[in-house]
Amino acid sequence: MKGPLFYSKILLFGEYGIIKDSKGLSIPYNFYNGALKCDGSTSDEAVDSNAKLTQFASHLSTLSEAEDVLVQFDIERLSQDLAKGMYFDSSIPQGYGVGSSGALVAAIYDKYATEKITVLENLTREKLLKLKAIFGAMESFFHGKSSGLDPLNSYLSLPILINSKDNIEPAGIPSQEQEGKGAVFLLDSGIVGETAPMVNIFMENMKQEGFRNMLKDQFVKHTDACVDDFLKGDVKSLFGNVKQLSKVVLSNFKPMIPKAFHTLWKQGIESNDYYLKLCGSGGGGYILGFTQDIDKARKALQDHRLEVVYNF
């Protein structure tokens, strides 16, 4: 048995902001993927994954039995497959902000949910929101609280535009300029990030009025503008807004930026060679970069590994 592939994702814009109803834009990233396998492997990774899936199965069993049941699973078949050693074979790095648990959740829903909403049917807004709610409840096992967006992106394998909490839609993004010098890239921090502690810091900060105002008047404003610019293909305006967003993050989200990158972050803003922003919750993993000249960015960041994900 080998299940279909589910891909990683990149939240281009909207990290933290979508908690407070900013816009967001999430795209599938096919470089990494994962699939459920049951091939008798006894590698450490397979055994470890099987143990985690067994714990996850009891969480799903609880969801199936809830009074206001959102989703039900064929727990018996899932348990049988787990007893045979099923595991999630994944190249998606964990704690890097590219949706490793999202792909796993999507794979389990696809295989074991009864009466599932399929990718082939007409995906109305109601169906998308229901899927998002189901995936949020499933993924909460890994993160404590989940928006459900990562699994939704992985499940649909489509760019998703988040207009607000209860208004999401598949998005058409401008096609890439393969020869373009402008790029969105991933910068490897070399540190594994953990979502829950970062979200806790954010929630603590949200208790302060000054932080809440900053979020609304600056962070959400620039995030929304970035999403609009990106979808319209207005590159000039996009880079102006990304620069402002990068400044706001450096000033107000320092705990989410690994210390070793504070200077690089500032240098990018001052030189205009590249702008950095959080990829996911931060604290480690990947940092997202935007540049109008990838050669300049590579030179300025020559001690680091860059992976281009989109060309302008």
Side-chain angles (χ1 to χ4, degrees), residues 95-141:
Y96 262 68
V98 286
S100 55
S101 59
L104 166 59
V105 165
I108 291 283
Y109 176 83
D110 180 62
K111 189 159 177 60
Y112 297 102
T114 56
E115 296 176 38
K116 69 178 182 185
I117 298 169
T118 71
V119 185
L120 301 171
E121 61 196 78
N122 177 20
L123 289 166
T124 61
R125 200 170 107 188
E126 285 69 31
K127 282 181 186 170
L128 283 173
L129 286 172
K130 186 175 181 192
L131 270 175
K132 182 173 171 285
I134 288 168
F135 289 146
M138 289 173 71
E139 198 181 34
S140 66
F141 171 78

Side-chain angles (χ1 to χ4, degrees), residues 82-259:
L82 286 169
K84 290 178 201 157
M86 183 178 74
Y87 64 101
F88 190 60
D89 183 27
S90 170
S91 65
I92 308 170
Q94 292 186 3
Y96 262 68
V98 286
S100 55
S101 59
L104 166 59
V105 165
I108 291 283
Y109 176 83
D110 180 62
K111 189 159 177 60
Y112 297 102
T114 56
E115 296 176 38
K116 69 178 182 185
I117 298 169
T118 71
V119 185
L120 301 171
E121 61 196 78
N122 177 20
L123 289 166
T124 61
R125 200 170 107 188
E126 285 69 31
K127 282 181 186 170
L128 283 173
L129 286 172
K130 186 175 181 192
L131 270 175
K132 182 173 171 285
I134 288 168
F135 289 146
M138 289 173 71
E139 198 181 34
S140 66
F141 171 78
F142 300 99
H143 291 321
K145 188 178 193 307
S146 161
S147 68
L149 274 170
D150 287 6
L152 184 65
N153 201 293
S154 190
Y155 185 63
L156 300 178
S157 226
L158 290 168
I160 292 170
L161 170 64
I162 301 107
N163 292 303
S164 64
K165 274 197 190 70
D166 48 11
N167 183 355
I168 54 175
E169 57 186 314
I173 62 172
S175 56
Q176 300 195 48
E177 298 286 340
Q178 294 305 342
E179 303 303 310
K181 292 190 83 170
V184 182
F185 60 86
L186 293 174
L187 176 66
D188 190 345
S189 72
I191 307 160
V192 173
E194 281 190 50
T195 302
M198 295 297 123
V199 173
N200 289 342
I201 293 169
F202 176 78
M203 288 309 194
E204 277 303 304
N205 288 342
M206 283 300 288
K207 293 174 183 173
Q208 301 160 23
E209 190 183 356
F211 188 85
R212 287 199 304 272
N213 289 339
M214 173 281 302
L215 200 75
K216 184 173 85 209
D217 301 336
Q218 297 174 50
F219 189 81
V220 170
K221 184 180 104 178
H222 295 308
T223 296
D224 287 359
C226 284
V227 172
D228 292 340
D229 290 341
F230 189 89
L231 291 175
K232 281 194 305 228
D234 187 341
V235 176
K236 189 166 182 276
S237 179
L238 172 68
F239 277 92
N241 280 306
V242 170
K243 181 176 184 174
Q244 294 307 318
L245 190 56
S246 188
K247 280 184 188 171
V248 171
V249 173
L250 184 60
S251 301
N252 300 282
F253 289 80
K254 275 223 167 67
M256 287 77 167
I257 304 171
K259 278 198 176 64

